[in-house]
Amino acid sequence: MTNSLLNSLNPDQQICVLETEGYIRIIAGAGSGKTKVLTHRYAHLVQNLDIPTKSILCVTFTNKAAQEMKNRIKNLIGDHDTAYISTFHSFCVTILREDIHTLNYPKQFFIIDNEDKKTILRKVYEDCQLSQSDITFKNAIDFISKNKDIDFLINSNTSEISKKYNLAKQNPDPHNKILYGYIYEQKKAFGLDFDDLIYFTLYIFRNFKKILKKWQERLQYIMVDEFQDVSERQYILVSYLSQHHKNLFIVGDPDQTIYSWRGSQQNFILDFNNQFKNVKTFVLNKNYRSTQNILDVANSLISNNKDRIKKDLSAVKTLTNPVIYNHLKTAKLETDWIIKEIKKLKKQKANYRDIAILYRAHYCSRTLEDGLIRAKIPYTIYSGISFYERREVKDILSYMRFLLYKDDISFLRIINTPKRGIGKKKIELIQNTANQNSCSLYSALIKNIKENRLTNTHAMNFVKLFNTAEKKLKTAKLTDILEFLLTKSGYQEELKRDGDQERLDNLAELKQSIIEYESHFGEKLELTEYLQQISLLTNQDKKTTDQNSIKLMTIHTAKGLEFPYVFLCSLSEGIFPSYNVKSNTELEEERRLAYVAITRAELKLFLSDSEGLNFDNSFRYPSRFILEINPKLLTFITKLDEEYKNQTKQQITRIDAFINNTQMHNYEVGSTINHKYLGKGTLIEYNQNDNTGLIKFENIETPRLIKIKS
């Protein structure tokens, strides 16, 4: 590394970059330049230690973060291959494309995304005569994720899984029907969902030691960003890979662990020094983002958490602005105050795009939107449907995937989109043929193509469409394939007839995305490679508009972002911390989430809450987080009177008592419930607010909502 590059780092960052050997833990506070440390350390390994880039693995959590890291590293080291700078899931795809053949899976497996899961479930529900009143898709997906036996999936053929599925159908409990129905459809298509990508990789590593050794020897240096967010499987993966060279460099902030609901475990970074030998720990607490006033508030709040590594952030900036807190009588008055402050900032030459309003949950945006519309202030909500999950985009991607795989999931989505006269009865005919012949639905369609019930449809045109597209695929660019499918399928024409310009614009944007991929990978970009890249994209990778508007978003969405001016609103007990909290561990995570929200602000921070009624008609009180911050650090617009403050503390005491009680009685979906009169049943849904459960009893046809007694 050149001296000029080293000089761009502060002394603490320099130490981290130059430490190259062994197990190293960097506790990097918010805004402390952790990405800079990672990228400069990578450059140091390549330029000064002469390590090939193909020997360095650098993993993070979103495609957006991985791409940013690639760009920064290329600016430092030039146009080297950076294939192993990726997300965990992308890296596992890389491993599986090279080694999944050991499990008798094709190299060109496809990835099942969330929409595909629902497509499979619809098919299974119909097959088993189930509805979402038996079990919701969300709970079904959760159950599958927790109970799928990967060994069984890998080692069984479709015939063996079909037998298990048929046995499950004979049981009144819907859970195993759904589980084995899902596995059956998945195995038929050689599809892997997101969970499977890491599961399959770990299975290969456990059972094929030569393959594990190959990857261990290949990857001399392993670096992990946002280590506080790793799940157990991700932790095991990097532990395996680092066993040979024993070079594992992790960066993270335990105070920003906010994703336990998707598997993150804070203890992996907290206990890292106990799990590996001779761990060196360094702390980065010099903050380049926020003013000291904002950091003092963040430090004061997070100090209330017990399960953490102590550190206090200190600001590089010398500016000082008071952190404002206001308590209002109604949500409308809270919104009016926020708008008033926004107008003040605008008069001080602030741009709307520099202002963010953060909240704990989506429903908090309603009154804000009403107020901003009335005030004629432009705003953008950063939530909703991801680009690649929009119906028209998903439809055409399914056309492209079907061209490659002829899979049942894509077939069911596109066979009658646009309308081809192939309705439910004709689909049943095709499905029966597929079941009788153990073949795909497309093969069954071809077998029945001259059957009377299909001759008056456009089934033959459908088959001709893909016969022609297959020939084009050998020589044409992907953009040409897309254009062919859009026009010859009739899909684009149908949207034009409907005058649906927004959907047409989305398809134009899809074409633009393929053009961008082709410019990056070259015109020889394979369809399989493109589809796998797209399947790995998440909501967090969504393009954000640069229009001059206020940004409204949940705190989870704001993670990793920063804004000059931040309003953190709806700071009420039951909203933030959430009424869903049922343990002290979850309460600490809510506090970490508040810490993340506070540290998004660069120059000014505004905190607010309002009185009113909660969903259960209880009175709303200020969040405990306001009371936990040293009052000397806040400028109060409205002082909380002592009586109201005491009522707030009493409410917090009641909630804490409830939390401690529910910790002792924590019922999980899928658990068995024994009722004195109704008999044995399975818990389908559980509402911890009123301690009620929706239970499907073995001897009763419909599920029953009952009060669960401790």
Short mmCIF file of all heavy atoms in Angstrom, two decimals, residues 337-375:
data_model
loop_
_atom_site.label_atom_id
_atom_site.label_comp_id
_atom_site.label_asym_id
_atom_site.label_seq_id
_atom_site.Cartn_x
_atom_site.Cartn_y
_atom_site.Cartn_z
N TRP A 337 -46.02 19.54 13.75
CA TRP A 337 -44.75 20.05 14.28
C TRP A 337 -43.57 19.66 13.39
O TRP A 337 -42.69 20.46 13.10
CB TRP A 337 -44.53 19.54 15.71
CG TRP A 337 -43.21 19.95 16.27
CD1 TRP A 337 -42.84 21.20 16.70
CD2 TRP A 337 -42.05 19.12 16.43
NE1 TRP A 337 -41.54 21.21 17.13
CE2 TRP A 337 -41.02 19.94 16.98
CE3 TRP A 337 -41.77 17.78 16.19
CZ2 TRP A 337 -39.75 19.45 17.26
CZ3 TRP A 337 -40.51 17.29 16.47
CH2 TRP A 337 -39.51 18.12 17.00
N ILE A 338 -43.57 18.40 12.94
CA ILE A 338 -42.50 17.93 12.05
C ILE A 338 -42.48 18.76 10.77
O ILE A 338 -41.41 19.20 10.31
CB ILE A 338 -42.68 16.42 11.73
CG1 ILE A 338 -42.40 15.57 12.99
CG2 ILE A 338 -41.77 15.99 10.58
CD1 ILE A 338 -42.75 14.11 12.84
N ILE A 339 -43.66 19.02 10.20
CA ILE A 339 -43.73 19.82 8.97
C ILE A 339 -43.24 21.24 9.21
O ILE A 339 -42.53 21.83 8.38
CB ILE A 339 -45.18 19.81 8.43
CG1 ILE A 339 -45.50 18.41 7.87
CG2 ILE A 339 -45.38 20.88 7.36
CD1 ILE A 339 -46.94 18.20 7.51
N LYS A 340 -43.60 21.79 10.36
CA LYS A 340 -43.14 23.14 10.72
C LYS A 340 -41.60 23.20 10.76
O LYS A 340 -40.98 24.13 10.24
CB LYS A 340 -43.73 23.52 12.08
CG LYS A 340 -43.32 24.89 12.59
CD LYS A 340 -43.93 25.12 13.98
CE LYS A 340 -43.35 26.37 14.62
NZ LYS A 340 -43.82 26.53 16.02
N GLU A 341 -40.99 22.16 11.36
CA GLU A 341 -39.52 22.11 11.45
C GLU A 341 -38.89 21.90 10.08
O GLU A 341 -37.81 22.44 9.79
CB GLU A 341 -39.09 21.01 12.42
CG GLU A 341 -39.47 21.25 13.89
CD GLU A 341 -38.85 22.52 14.44
OE1 GLU A 341 -37.66 22.80 14.14
OE2 GLU A 341 -39.55 23.26 15.16
N ILE A 342 -39.56 21.12 9.24
CA ILE A 342 -39.06 20.91 7.87
C ILE A 342 -39.05 22.24 7.11
O ILE A 342 -38.09 22.56 6.39
CB ILE A 342 -39.91 19.86 7.13
CG1 ILE A 342 -39.63 18.45 7.69
CG2 ILE A 342 -39.65 19.89 5.62
CD1 ILE A 342 -40.56 17.38 7.17
N LYS A 343 -40.11 23.02 7.27
CA LYS A 343 -40.18 24.32 6.59
C LYS A 343 -39.07 25.26 7.08
O LYS A 343 -38.51 26.03 6.29
CB LYS A 343 -41.56 24.94 6.81
CG LYS A 343 -42.66 24.24 6.01
CD LYS A 343 -44.03 24.87 6.27
CE LYS A 343 -45.09 24.21 5.40
NZ LYS A 343 -46.44 24.78 5.67
N LYS A 344 -38.75 25.17 8.37
CA LYS A 344 -37.64 25.98 8.91
C LYS A 344 -36.32 25.58 8.25
O LYS A 344 -35.52 26.42 7.86
CB LYS A 344 -37.52 25.78 10.43
CG LYS A 344 -38.55 26.51 11.25
CD LYS A 344 -38.23 26.28 12.74
CE LYS A 344 -39.31 26.84 13.63
NZ LYS A 344 -39.03 26.53 15.07
N LEU A 345 -36.10 24.24 8.13
CA LEU A 345 -34.88 23.75 7.50
C LEU A 345 -34.81 24.20 6.05
O LEU A 345 -33.73 24.57 5.54
CB LEU A 345 -34.82 22.22 7.57
CG LEU A 345 -34.63 21.60 8.96
CD1 LEU A 345 -34.78 20.09 8.90
CD2 LEU A 345 -33.27 21.97 9.54
N LYS A 346 -35.96 24.21 5.37
CA LYS A 346 -36.00 24.63 3.96
C LYS A 346 -35.61 26.10 3.83
O LYS A 346 -34.87 26.48 2.92
CB LYS A 346 -37.42 24.40 3.41
CG LYS A 346 -37.48 24.43 1.88
CD LYS A 346 -36.92 23.15 1.28
CE LYS A 346 -37.14 23.07 -0.22
NZ LYS A 346 -36.37 24.08 -0.98
N LYS A 347 -36.08 26.91 4.77
CA LYS A 347 -35.72 28.33 4.75
C LYS A 347 -34.23 28.53 4.99
O LYS A 347 -33.65 29.53 4.56
CB LYS A 347 -36.53 29.08 5.81
CG LYS A 347 -37.97 29.34 5.41
CD LYS A 347 -38.71 30.12 6.49
CE LYS A 347 -40.16 30.37 6.07
NZ LYS A 347 -40.92 31.09 7.12
N GLN A 348 -33.63 27.56 5.70
CA GLN A 348 -32.18 27.62 5.97
C GLN A 348 -31.38 26.97 4.84
O GLN A 348 -30.23 26.60 5.00
CB GLN A 348 -31.88 26.92 7.30
CG GLN A 348 -32.48 27.63 8.51
CD GLN A 348 -32.50 26.75 9.76
OE1 GLN A 348 -31.88 25.69 9.80
NE2 GLN A 348 -33.21 27.20 10.79
N LYS A 349 -32.04 26.81 3.68
CA LYS A 349 -31.41 26.31 2.44
C LYS A 349 -31.15 24.79 2.43
O LYS A 349 -30.36 24.30 1.62
CB LYS A 349 -30.08 27.04 2.16
CG LYS A 349 -30.19 28.57 2.12
CD LYS A 349 -31.19 29.03 1.08
CE LYS A 349 -31.26 30.56 1.03
NZ LYS A 349 -32.32 31.05 0.11
N ALA A 350 -31.82 24.06 3.31
CA ALA A 350 -31.71 22.60 3.26
C ALA A 350 -32.54 22.07 2.10
O ALA A 350 -33.59 22.64 1.76
CB ALA A 350 -32.20 21.99 4.57
N ASN A 351 -32.08 21.02 1.46
CA ASN A 351 -32.85 20.35 0.41
C ASN A 351 -33.75 19.28 1.02
O ASN A 351 -33.39 18.65 2.01
CB ASN A 351 -31.91 19.69 -0.61
CG ASN A 351 -31.18 20.70 -1.46
OD1 ASN A 351 -31.80 21.62 -2.01
ND2 ASN A 351 -29.88 20.56 -1.57
N TYR A 352 -34.91 19.07 0.39
CA TYR A 352 -35.80 18.01 0.88
C TYR A 352 -35.09 16.66 0.89
O TYR A 352 -35.31 15.83 1.77
CB TYR A 352 -37.05 17.94 0.00
CG TYR A 352 -38.05 19.05 0.22
CD1 TYR A 352 -38.68 19.67 -0.86
CD2 TYR A 352 -38.38 19.48 1.50
CE1 TYR A 352 -39.61 20.69 -0.67
CE2 TYR A 352 -39.30 20.49 1.71
CZ TYR A 352 -39.91 21.10 0.62
OH TYR A 352 -40.82 22.11 0.82
N ARG A 353 -34.25 16.41 -0.12
CA ARG A 353 -33.58 15.11 -0.22
C ARG A 353 -32.63 14.84 0.96
O ARG A 353 -32.22 13.70 1.17
CB ARG A 353 -32.82 14.99 -1.53
CG ARG A 353 -31.59 15.87 -1.67
CD ARG A 353 -30.77 15.46 -2.90
NE ARG A 353 -31.49 15.68 -4.12
CZ ARG A 353 -31.44 16.80 -4.86
NH1 ARG A 353 -30.68 17.81 -4.45
NH2 ARG A 353 -32.13 16.91 -5.96
N ASP A 354 -32.29 15.89 1.71
CA ASP A 354 -31.39 15.73 2.86
C ASP A 354 -32.13 15.39 4.14
O ASP A 354 -31.52 15.24 5.20
CB ASP A 354 -30.60 17.03 3.08
CG ASP A 354 -29.66 17.33 1.92
OD1 ASP A 354 -29.21 16.37 1.27
OD2 ASP A 354 -29.40 18.52 1.67
N ILE A 355 -33.46 15.27 4.05
CA ILE A 355 -34.29 15.07 5.24
C ILE A 355 -34.92 13.68 5.21
O ILE A 355 -35.50 13.27 4.20
CB ILE A 355 -35.39 16.14 5.32
CG1 ILE A 355 -34.77 17.55 5.34
CG2 ILE A 355 -36.27 15.93 6.55
CD1 ILE A 355 -35.77 18.67 5.15
N ALA A 356 -34.82 12.96 6.32
CA ALA A 356 -35.45 11.65 6.44
C ALA A 356 -36.34 11.62 7.68
O ALA A 356 -35.99 12.16 8.73
CB ALA A 356 -34.40 10.55 6.54
N ILE A 357 -37.51 11.01 7.53
CA ILE A 357 -38.39 10.75 8.67
C ILE A 357 -38.40 9.25 8.88
O ILE A 357 -38.79 8.48 7.99
CB ILE A 357 -39.81 11.27 8.41
CG1 ILE A 357 -39.79 12.75 8.04
CG2 ILE A 357 -40.68 11.05 9.65
CD1 ILE A 357 -41.16 13.33 7.69
N LEU A 358 -37.96 8.83 10.05
CA LEU A 358 -37.84 7.39 10.36
C LEU A 358 -38.89 7.00 11.39
O LEU A 358 -39.25 7.78 12.28
CB LEU A 358 -36.45 7.08 10.91
CG LEU A 358 -35.25 7.57 10.10
CD1 LEU A 358 -33.94 7.10 10.75
CD2 LEU A 358 -35.33 7.08 8.65
N TYR A 359 -39.35 5.76 11.27
CA TYR A 359 -40.35 5.23 12.22
C TYR A 359 -40.15 3.74 12.36
O TYR A 359 -39.49 3.09 11.53
CB TYR A 359 -41.77 5.56 11.75
CG TYR A 359 -41.98 5.50 10.25
CD1 TYR A 359 -42.08 4.28 9.58
CD2 TYR A 359 -42.03 6.67 9.49
CE1 TYR A 359 -42.25 4.23 8.21
CE2 TYR A 359 -42.21 6.63 8.11
CZ TYR A 359 -42.32 5.40 7.48
OH TYR A 359 -42.48 5.34 6.11
N ARG A 360 -40.76 3.18 13.40
CA ARG A 360 -40.56 1.76 13.72
C ARG A 360 -41.32 0.84 12.77
O ARG A 360 -40.84 -0.23 12.43
CB ARG A 360 -41.00 1.50 15.18
CG ARG A 360 -40.94 0.03 15.63
CD ARG A 360 -39.52 -0.48 15.59
NE ARG A 360 -39.42 -1.88 16.00
CZ ARG A 360 -39.58 -2.91 15.20
NH1 ARG A 360 -39.88 -2.72 13.92
NH2 ARG A 360 -39.44 -4.15 15.66
N ALA A 361 -42.53 1.23 12.38
CA ALA A 361 -43.38 0.34 11.57
C ALA A 361 -44.05 1.12 10.46
O ALA A 361 -44.29 2.33 10.57
CB ALA A 361 -44.42 -0.33 12.47
N HIS A 362 -44.42 0.44 9.38
CA HIS A 362 -44.99 1.08 8.19
C HIS A 362 -46.25 1.88 8.51
O HIS A 362 -46.48 2.94 7.93
CB HIS A 362 -45.33 0.03 7.13
CG HIS A 362 -44.13 -0.58 6.49
ND1 HIS A 362 -43.23 0.14 5.73
CD2 HIS A 362 -43.66 -1.86 6.49
CE1 HIS A 362 -42.27 -0.65 5.30
NE2 HIS A 362 -42.51 -1.87 5.74
N TYR A 363 -47.09 1.37 9.43
CA TYR A 363 -48.36 2.04 9.67
C TYR A 363 -48.18 3.44 10.24
O TYR A 363 -49.10 4.26 10.19
CB TYR A 363 -49.26 1.20 10.59
CG TYR A 363 -48.74 0.96 11.99
CD1 TYR A 363 -48.88 1.94 12.97
CD2 TYR A 363 -48.14 -0.24 12.34
CE1 TYR A 363 -48.42 1.73 14.26
CE2 TYR A 363 -47.67 -0.44 13.62
CZ TYR A 363 -47.81 0.53 14.58
OH TYR A 363 -47.35 0.32 15.86
N CYS A 364 -47.01 3.74 10.78
CA CYS A 364 -46.76 5.07 11.35
C CYS A 364 -46.72 6.16 10.28
O CYS A 364 -46.75 7.35 10.61
CB CYS A 364 -45.43 5.08 12.12
SG CYS A 364 -45.39 3.96 13.54
N SER A 365 -46.65 5.77 9.02
CA SER A 365 -46.49 6.77 7.95
C SER A 365 -47.80 7.43 7.56
O SER A 365 -47.79 8.46 6.88
CB SER A 365 -45.86 6.13 6.72
OG SER A 365 -46.79 5.28 6.07
N ARG A 366 -48.94 6.87 7.96
CA ARG A 366 -50.22 7.35 7.44
C ARG A 366 -50.45 8.83 7.72
O ARG A 366 -50.72 9.62 6.81
CB ARG A 366 -51.38 6.53 8.01
CG ARG A 366 -52.73 6.89 7.38
CD ARG A 366 -53.86 6.11 8.02
NE ARG A 366 -53.97 6.39 9.43
CZ ARG A 366 -54.59 7.46 9.95
NH1 ARG A 366 -55.12 8.36 9.15
NH2 ARG A 366 -54.66 7.63 11.26
N THR A 367 -50.37 9.25 8.99
CA THR A 367 -50.62 10.65 9.32
C THR A 367 -49.53 11.55 8.72
O THR A 367 -49.80 12.69 8.35
CB THR A 367 -50.69 10.87 10.85
OG1 THR A 367 -49.52 10.33 11.45
CG2 THR A 367 -51.91 10.21 11.43
N LEU A 368 -48.32 11.03 8.64
CA LEU A 368 -47.24 11.81 8.02
C LEU A 368 -47.55 12.09 6.56
O LEU A 368 -47.39 13.22 6.08
CB LEU A 368 -45.92 11.05 8.13
CG LEU A 368 -45.32 10.90 9.53
CD1 LEU A 368 -44.22 9.84 9.52
CD2 LEU A 368 -44.77 12.23 10.02
N GLU A 369 -48.00 11.07 5.84
CA GLU A 369 -48.34 11.25 4.43
C GLU A 369 -49.47 12.26 4.26
O GLU A 369 -49.40 13.14 3.40
CB GLU A 369 -48.75 9.91 3.82
CG GLU A 369 -47.59 8.95 3.62
CD GLU A 369 -48.03 7.74 2.82
OE1 GLU A 369 -48.19 7.88 1.60
OE2 GLU A 369 -48.22 6.67 3.42
N ASP A 370 -50.51 12.13 5.09
CA ASP A 370 -51.63 13.07 5.01
C ASP A 370 -51.14 14.50 5.19
O ASP A 370 -51.52 15.41 4.44
CB ASP A 370 -52.68 12.75 6.10
CG ASP A 370 -53.42 11.45 5.81
OD1 ASP A 370 -53.30 10.95 4.68
OD2 ASP A 370 -54.11 10.96 6.72
N GLY A 371 -50.29 14.70 6.20
CA GLY A 371 -49.79 16.04 6.49
C GLY A 371 -48.91 16.59 5.38
O GLY A 371 -49.02 17.76 5.00
N LEU A 372 -48.02 15.76 4.86
CA LEU A 372 -47.11 16.20 3.79
C LEU A 372 -47.88 16.53 2.51
O LEU A 372 -47.54 17.48 1.80
CB LEU A 372 -46.06 15.12 3.52
CG LEU A 372 -45.03 14.92 4.63
CD1 LEU A 372 -44.24 13.63 4.41
CD2 LEU A 372 -44.08 16.11 4.74
N ILE A 373 -48.93 15.76 2.23
CA ILE A 373 -49.76 16.05 1.06
C ILE A 373 -50.46 17.39 1.23
O ILE A 373 -50.48 18.23 0.31
CB ILE A 373 -50.79 14.92 0.84
CG1 ILE A 373 -50.08 13.64 0.37
CG2 ILE A 373 -51.85 15.34 -0.19
CD1 ILE A 373 -50.96 12.41 0.38
N ARG A 374 -51.02 17.60 2.42
CA ARG A 374 -51.70 18.88 2.68
C ARG A 374 -50.73 20.06 2.56
O ARG A 374 -51.08 21.12 2.07
CB ARG A 374 -52.32 18.88 4.09
CG ARG A 374 -53.60 18.07 4.22
CD ARG A 374 -54.34 18.43 5.50
NE ARG A 374 -53.50 18.31 6.68
CZ ARG A 374 -53.36 17.20 7.40
NH1 ARG A 374 -54.04 16.11 7.05
NH2 ARG A 374 -52.58 17.17 8.47
N ALA A 375 -49.49 19.84 3.04
CA ALA A 375 -48.49 20.91 3.01
C ALA A 375 -47.81 21.03 1.64
O ALA A 375 -46.96 21.90 1.45
CB ALA A 375 -47.44 20.66 4.09
#
